[in-house]
Amino acid sequence: SSSRSISPTSSTNATSTKSLFDHIAERSIPQLETFKPQELTITLWSFEKANASHPLLFEMADDHITSLEHLKNYTPQNLSNLLFAYAKATTKNVANDPNYDPNNNNNKFVTWN
């Protein structure tokens, strides 16, 4: 059995990685209510660790987590990983938002659009 390494800079691998993450996000969104806290946390953390963007998944997960009022079920490690994932996603969205002005103190919220 041979071992293949995946280079993050390869365009072929970037395309296949993107479709894999898109597929996972599309399967995950309708099932968010079935995710245990650790499962959802690891899913979102993995997207950001792999630099895979899927704003709709993050928006729907945000709605799911806050609407259920079950943050008490999340361990400190879960919360830390969620914050990491959302901070990375927000940073990416800010970097790509032509309306973002780093000198404007009124930039309190970042939208996923």
Side-chain angles (χ1 to χ4, degrees):
S1 140
S2 68
S3 174
R4 271 179 46 185
S5 73
I6 297 177
S7 167
T9 58
S10 165
S11 62
T12 302
N13 290 330
T15 301
S16 63
T17 300
K18 183 178 188 302
S19 34
L20 170 65
F21 279 93
D22 284 341
H23 178 74
I24 290 170
E26 290 164 10
R27 288 280 309 259
S28 298
I29 290 170
Q31 300 178 47
L32 286 174
E33 70 278 353
T34 66
F35 278 67
K36 295 176 185 163
Q38 185 174 6
E39 295 166 345
L40 183 55
T41 298
I42 290 172
T43 299
L44 297 175
W45 181 85
S46 297
F47 268 77
E48 286 314 308
K49 203 65 175 157
N51 204 26
S53 178
H54 202 284
L56 181 59
L57 173 63
F58 276 76
E59 182 178 339
M60 299 301 291
D62 180 4
D63 291 346
H64 168 72
I65 292 166
T66 56
S67 71
L68 292 179
E69 299 177 8
H70 69 257
L71 278 176
K72 65 181 180 214
N73 296 333
Y74 284 74
T75 67
Q77 183 68 53
N78 293 150
L79 294 172
S80 175
N81 288 343
L82 277 174
L83 288 173
F84 170 82
Y86 276 93
K88 293 280 286 183
T90 301
T91 302
K92 272 195 284 193
N93 286 316
V94 166
N96 295 323
D97 184 351
N99 298 315
Y100 180 74
D101 178 3
N103 298 314
N104 181 351
N105 290 333
N106 293 323
N107 292 319
K108 295 179 183 170
F109 301 101
V110 178
T111 62
W112 295 110
N113 297 332

